[in-house]
Amino acid sequence: MISKPVWALSAAHFSFNWFYYTMIAWLPSLFNSWMSLSLHVSATLAILPSVASFIMATVAGSFVDNLISSKRMTITQARKFAQTLGFLVPAVCLTGVGAMMLSSIDMTMSVPRVVALVLLTGAFGFGAWSRAGLFCN
């Protein structure tokens, strides 16, 4: 276990899983308490980020495989590219959600709700790029 790439992949895999499963468990409660949505609507909206993750994982995997097979990037470069997208974009999206939570924005209005949902969905969707970086061999 002295291989730095193995440690990096292990850390990336752990980080993505921690983010993903924590958010899945947390989203319906967030929508219910922060956005004042009914539990039924909260549960329905909470599926959108997972759908975005599924779709983006398919796109990201194909895209990264194409980069490697066309020799435009080495496996290491493709991993780094995918990991960068998979962690940087969700960090920006979640920072935006955090800023909204700390501000005095009225979350009972529809526009802030849509913005928050788009940011959370974007965080999940682009988080799937970390899987393309982890599993591209």
Side-chain angles (χ1 to χ4, degrees):
M1 290 297 290
I2 59 173
S3 173
K4 288 181 182 180
V6 170
W7 277 106
L9 287 174
S10 298
H13 186 64
F14 172 82
S15 299
F16 179 80
N17 284 336
W18 183 83
F19 157 76
Y20 188 79
Y21 293 112
T22 300
M23 291 296 286
I24 285 175
W26 178 64
L27 278 176
S29 298
L30 173 75
F31 292 154
N32 182 257
S33 63
W34 180 46
M35 295 184 183
S36 302
L37 297 172
S38 71
L39 195 54
H40 176 72
V41 172
S42 297
T44 304
L45 289 178
I47 195 69
L48 291 177
S50 295
V51 170
S53 181
F54 171 76
I55 292 168
M56 191 64 86
T58 305
V59 170
S62 297
F63 186 79
V64 171
D65 282 345
N66 188 346
L67 288 175
I68 294 168
S69 65
S70 68
K71 306 258 190 250
R72 284 183 275 181
M73 286 188 180
T74 64
I75 292 175
T76 301
Q77 290 170 329
R79 277 189 175 140
K80 288 178 182 179
F81 171 73
Q83 292 294 334
T84 300
L85 278 180
F87 288 107
L88 186 61
V89 175
V92 170
C93 291
L94 293 175
T95 299
V97 172
M100 289 178 75
M101 291 179 83
L102 292 174
S103 70
S104 58
I105 294 175
D106 182 10
M107 290 307 293
T108 59
M109 298 175 59
S110 62
V111 172
R113 284 180 178 172
V114 170
V115 170
L117 185 61
V118 166
L119 288 172
L120 287 168
T121 302
F124 268 78
F126 278 95
W129 279 83
S130 73
R131 290 186 179 188
L134 175 67
F135 298 123
C136 65
N137 284 319

